[in-house]
Amino acid sequence: MGVALVWGSSYLVAKDLTVAAPVLVVLALRYVLSAAALGVVCRRARGRVPRGRDLAVGVLLGCTQAAVLTLETFGVAGTSATNAGLIISLTVVFTPLLDGAWGRTALPAPFFAATAVAVVGVGLLVSGDGVRAPGWGDGLMLVAAAVRAVHVSLIGRLTADRPVSSLVLTTVQSTVGAVLLSVAAAPQLGSVVHLPPAAWAQLAYLALACTVFAFLAQTWAVRRTSPSRASLLMGTEPLWAVAVGVSIGGERLTAVAAVGAVLVLAATWYGQRVESAHRQAVPV
């Protein structure tokens, strides 16, 4: 839930930053700062560099996580907030389907009913500016939702009963993302010298709260619960985005959006109960 909260709060910050600098530059700086911070923490904690399979898992998860953030950032730029919120929320449906297929232990129908209600709630929550015809941005958001589902499921499957720490694994992921996006943003990195102090403060927030904390918390939590449950909880991200927009950004919460918020909360609560009962009956 904490991951959903900070990611929901990142929309206002990211929107301002993409005006001040190109998208790839923002992503590269976010990853570089987060990798540096995690490196310091990992060194102080005397974390050991993973080898063999654990290192390969970290690199793979770093690639999938970087792909998710890149697809989301470019996708939002090419569609409406309504379409983006609806499409990315499909992760709460994709993840249990994928998790059930890999684990061959499909979740019961009530869980999928809860995810459907959550998606409807998200639609009401972000429907202030209406739904427009699909475009290229919508396609990117759909791919982002699918890749996020794969990423969350991979964390649960590939790190189960492994000795590598969540801190070390998250550090490897961030380092991989920093390298990949720095290479991609290299031709535009000259724009960094023109960033104002306020932009650097926003980048620090994205790096420390929305990347370091979020990646670390996501990896730690998925390893101790299940990908399906984690995905459902993170599906509340649009709810927190609206909450931040109303409380900080001065936006208005309509009656329809309020109903959507209630549906998201109720569906998440019920879905957690169904998933918990199922996991206790059939260990994941």
Side-chain angles (χ1 to χ4, degrees):
M1 188 68 81
V3 175
L5 194 157
V6 295
W7 277 349
S9 71
S10 69
Y11 287 117
L12 286 175
V13 178
K15 183 177 180 180
D16 289 342
L17 280 173
T18 53
V19 173
V23 172
L24 284 176
V25 171
V26 171
L27 288 168
L29 291 175
R30 174 179 178 176
Y31 262 107
V32 169
L33 291 174
S34 64
L38 281 166
V40 171
V41 174
C42 199
R43 185 177 180 82
R44 288 183 177 275
R46 297 183 179 180
R48 300 181 62 181
V49 178
R51 297 181 180 179
R53 180 185 183 278
D54 291 333
L55 179 60
V57 167
V59 172
L60 174 61
L61 293 176
C63 291
T64 54
Q65 183 65 75
V68 172
L69 287 183
T70 302
L71 288 165
E72 284 182 354
T73 306
F74 278 105
V76 169
T79 187
S80 67
T82 300
N83 286 23
L86 281 170
I87 295 170
I88 200 63
S89 68
L90 291 175
T91 301
V92 305
V93 178
F94 292 159
T95 303
L97 286 173
L98 184 60
D99 198 36
W102 283 354
R104 297 180 181 178
T105 54
L107 285 161
F111 181 88
F112 291 99
T115 62
V117 172
V119 172
V120 171
V122 169
L124 296 175
L125 190 65
V126 298
S127 61
D129 53 358
V131 179
R132 72 181 192 186
W136 62 268
D138 301 290
L140 289 180
M141 292 303 299
L142 183 60
V143 176
V147 176
R148 183 188 279 192
V150 171
H151 176 74
V152 174
S153 296
L154 283 176
I155 292 175
R157 294 293 163 188
L158 298 181
T159 64
D161 302 321
R162 301 296 300 181
V164 62
S165 74
S166 296
L167 173 60
V168 171
L169 191 62
T170 304
T171 302
V172 173
Q173 290 181 70
S174 293
T175 302
V176 170
V179 172
L180 292 176
L181 286 162
S182 293
V183 171
Q188 301 174 308
L189 286 178
S191 61
V192 170
V193 297
H194 303 296
L195 287 177
W200 284 105
Q202 292 172 317
L203 278 168
Y205 175 74
L206 284 181
L208 299 179
C210 304
T211 305
V212 173
F213 165 75
F215 288 6
L216 185 58
Q218 181 187 53
T219 301
W220 181 89
V222 170
R223 296 178 73 182
R224 285 159 178 77
T225 175
S226 77
S228 298
R229 181 185 179 92
S231 178
L232 183 63
L233 288 168
M234 288 187 290
T236 63
E237 181 181 334
L239 174 64
W240 300 113
V242 171
V244 171
V246 171
S247 60
I248 299 177
E251 299 177 359
R252 295 182 60 187
L253 183 65
T254 65
V256 172
V259 171
V262 171
L263 287 178
V264 171
L265 289 174
T268 301
W269 174 80
Y270 178 68
Q272 286 181 77
R273 294 193 62 183
V274 172
E275 191 277 339
S276 293
H278 175 74
R279 184 153 45 95
Q280 290 172 8
V282 183
V284 176

